[in-house]
């Protein structure tokens, strides 16, 4: 996706960019065998489609399928004006059909095996670049993500009031993928992520969802219009400086509704291990952070459960505000 940086504001160049990734948009249907006809015709169209995709891959380096179609459209959505994006989306819908385009968007939320690997590499590189921001070597496991989502009660009916969800530090979207399953049409999920690279990944995966807002920024400066029923945090508090931890708790208190819930995770044993390596002022500072965290958990009747299948095993903590 490095071509994103080369976009200029001229429509011609923008079309070149999207054409580069999706093939000739005017003939995009030749990459997708949405074909009727007898068995032989269908078989032939599948073969032709594959050949067209291989040619496109050799020419541009981009493999076209419904997943990459959804992700490329989502990425483009954040690069151009609303009007220009709608023009391109309408063209794709005319060529491939609205249902097919919708399926492409749904598929964009999934991580392919290759993307899961690339996202893990992105995480690892992010950690090396800024260990105190990224806070872990790898994205969380599916098991942890499902455990986090399970901690949020189901909505009984479509008629109950709109729910506001906030995810802080979503990274590459491991928890987000589970959280969007909870959303009803008029619920809202806001994602606040600091790292620009992760923001781009979130845009590609979830950019088409009308009730998901992707906000690039520092949570300690977050000042939303509304308050949240549920806040899910992936922030690596144990890696932050003490003042920042205090600020994060202040913002949690400000943005989560009274009786709302804050769900987060902590790595088992790691704080104790870290303690043994720290000395002097750093040791004192870290002890203070652990104390602040424990006090917050106790003051808010915290509950926790273990998740063993994670790198490294973790607790899911749930506190009521
Ligand atoms: C431990 S990772 C968790 C990522 C993801 N939730 C997961 O479990 O795979 C921490 C995430 O918090 C983000 N982050 C760190 N400091 C932040 C801040 N001040 N505001 C918003 N996001 C922040 C990092 O960029 C990273 O994506």
């Amino acid at each position: 996706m490095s071509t994103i940086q080369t976009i200029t504001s001229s429509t011609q160049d923008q079309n070149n960019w999207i054409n580069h990734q999706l093939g000739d948009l005017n003939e995009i249907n030749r990459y997708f065998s949405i074909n009727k006809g007898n068995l032989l015709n269908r078989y032939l169209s599948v073969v032709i489609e594959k050949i067209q995709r291989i040619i496109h891959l050799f020419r541009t380096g981009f493999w076209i399928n419904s997943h990459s179609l959804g992700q490329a459209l989502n990425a483009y959505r954040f690069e151009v004006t609303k009007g220009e994006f709608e023009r391109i989306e309408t063209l794709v819908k005319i060529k491939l059909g609205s249902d097919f385009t919708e399926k492409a968007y749904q598929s964009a939320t999934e991580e392919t095996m290759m993307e899961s690997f690339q996202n893990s590499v992105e995480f690892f590189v992010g950690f090396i670049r800024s260990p105190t921001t990224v806070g872990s070597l790898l994205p969380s496991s599916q098991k942890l993500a499902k455990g986090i989502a399970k901690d949020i009660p189901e909505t009984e009916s479509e008629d109950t009031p709109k729910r506001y969800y906030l995810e802080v530090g979503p990274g590459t979207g491991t928890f987000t993928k589970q959280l969007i399953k909870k959303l009803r049409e008029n619920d809202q999920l806001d994602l606040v992520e600091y790292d620009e690279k992760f923001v781009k990944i979130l845009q590609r995966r979830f950019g088409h969802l009308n009730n998901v807002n992707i906000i690039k920024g520092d949570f300690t400066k977050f000042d939303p219009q509304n308050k949240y029923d549920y806040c899910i945090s992936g922030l690596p508090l144990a890696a932050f400086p003490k003042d920042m931890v205090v600020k994060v708790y202040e913002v949690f208190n400000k943005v989560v509704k009274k009786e709302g819930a804050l769900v987060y995770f902590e790595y088992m044993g790691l704080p104790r291990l870290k303690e043994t390596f720290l000395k002097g002022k750093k040791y004192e500072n870290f002890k203070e952070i652990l104390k602040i965290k424990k006090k917050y958990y106790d003051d808010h009747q915290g509950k926790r459960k273990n998740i063993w299948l994670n790198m490294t095993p973790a607790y899911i903590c749930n506190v009521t505000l």
Side-chain angles (χ1 to χ4, degrees):
M1 292 282 169
S2 58
T3 40
I4 288 172
Q5 267 93 48
T6 64
I7 290 174
T8 71
S9 55
S10 91
T11 306
Q12 186 54 44
D13 282 350
Q14 285 160 359
N15 280 349
N16 284 346
W17 179 80
I18 195 99
N19 280 332
H20 197 54
Q21 300 206 38
L22 297 183
D24 184 350
L25 277 174
N26 287 309
E27 291 184 48
I28 194 161
N29 36 340
R30 71 182 170 183
Y31 297 98
F32 296 95
S33 55
I34 313 167
N35 257 288
K36 296 182 183 83
N38 63 32
L39 209 61
L40 181 65
N41 276 348
R42 281 192 219 169
Y43 180 73
L44 271 177
S45 65
V46 169
V47 173
I48 292 166
E49 166 209 289
K50 296 280 182 284
I51 293 171
Q52 298 281 15
R53 288 184 188 180
I54 290 168
I55 293 171
H56 183 72
L57 177 70
F58 276 111
R59 284 207 346 243
T60 65
F62 289 100
W63 177 250
I64 297 184
N65 57 19
S66 55
H67 174 79
S68 59
L69 167 69
Q71 290 219 339
L73 283 173
N74 270 346
Y76 197 56
R77 180 187 302 268
F78 293 93
E79 299 294 334
V80 292
T81 60
K82 195 161 179 264
E84 167 59 9
F85 177 72
E86 280 169 2
R87 191 182 72 74
I88 294 290
E89 194 187 41
T90 307
L91 184 64
V92 172
K93 281 184 179 166
I94 290 168
K95 293 286 173 185
L96 303 179
S98 295
D99 287 354
F100 186 86
T101 312
E102 200 41 54
K103 276 194 196 130
Y105 279 138
Q106 276 169 24
S107 154
T109 64
E110 307 289 341
E111 266 179 328
T112 60
M113 252 164 71
M114 188 62 186
E115 276 165 2
S116 170
F117 174 72
Q118 284 168 341
N119 290 349
S120 299
V121 171
E122 199 66 77
F123 228 90
F124 187 78
V125 172
F127 179 78
I128 301 298
R129 209 178 44 233
S130 179
T132 52
T133 308
V134 175
S136 78
L137 286 166
L138 290 173
S140 296
S141 66
Q142 288 302 320
K143 191 90 184 150
L144 181 57
K146 285 183 182 156
I148 293 254
K150 230 178 172 175
D151 249 41
I152 295 168
E154 297 297 330
T155 14
E156 287 99 47
S157 84
E158 287 294 315
D159 306 329
T160 45
K162 171 174 181 167
R163 272 186 176 184
Y164 289 90
Y165 298 86
L166 170 68
E167 188 185 353
V168 192
T172 53
T174 313
F175 298 164
T176 320
K177 177 74 211 313
Q178 300 303 326
L179 294 175
I180 58 174
K181 294 182 190 162
K182 300 253 163 189
L183 298 182
R184 296 162 305 166
E185 211 172 315
N186 73 333
D187 289 336
Q188 180 178 319
L189 168 63
D190 293 344
L191 312 174
V192 180
E193 173 54 56
Y194 184 73
D195 188 298
E196 183 142 16
K197 290 229 163 85
F198 294 157
V199 169
K200 291 244 183 271
I201 292 172
L202 296 168
Q203 288 175 338
R204 285 209 299 270
R205 293 184 71 183
F206 308 109
H208 59 287
L209 296 168
N210 290 332
N211 48 1
V212 176
N213 301 310
I214 303 164
I215 302 156
K216 186 199 167 316
D218 176 357
F219 179 64
T220 59
K221 302 195 175 89
F222 187 50
D223 188 16
Q225 308 272 316
N226 51 275
K227 291 199 172 207
Y228 296 90
D229 299 284
Y230 295 97
C231 172
I232 298 86
S233 171
L235 291 180
L237 293 188
F240 285 172
K242 188 183 132 204
D243 293 351
M244 189 152 163
V245 174
V246 172
K247 184 74 195 153
V248 166
Y249 282 123
E250 270 172 31
V251 184
F252 281 150
N253 290 342
K254 193 177 79 183
V255 303
V256 181
K257 287 180 186 171
K258 203 145 188 54
E259 304 295 317
L262 166 66
V263 184
Y264 58 97
F265 70 95
E266 280 177 354
Y267 296 118
M268 275 182 211
L270 275 196
R272 298 279 162 259
L273 187 69
K274 190 171 168 182
E275 257 178 10
T276 59
F277 287 102
L278 296 175
K279 293 209 164 55
K281 247 196 146 111
K282 279 192 179 157
Y283 175 81
E284 294 305 326
N285 188 58
F286 187 63
K287 281 294 246 190
E288 278 288 308
I289 292 172
L290 295 185
K291 234 191 252 166
I292 297 168
K293 287 176 69 185
K294 179 156 185 344
K295 182 164 178 355
Y296 195 84
Y297 178 84
D298 291 341
D299 288 353
H300 294 85
Q301 297 83 45
K303 293 186 198 76
R304 71 181 194 187
K305 62 183 181 200
N306 303 344
I307 300 287
W308 297 101
L309 275 183
N310 193 61
M311 175 69 198
T312 59
Y315 306 112
I316 293 176
C317 303
N318 192 324
V319 302
T320 308
L321 272 89

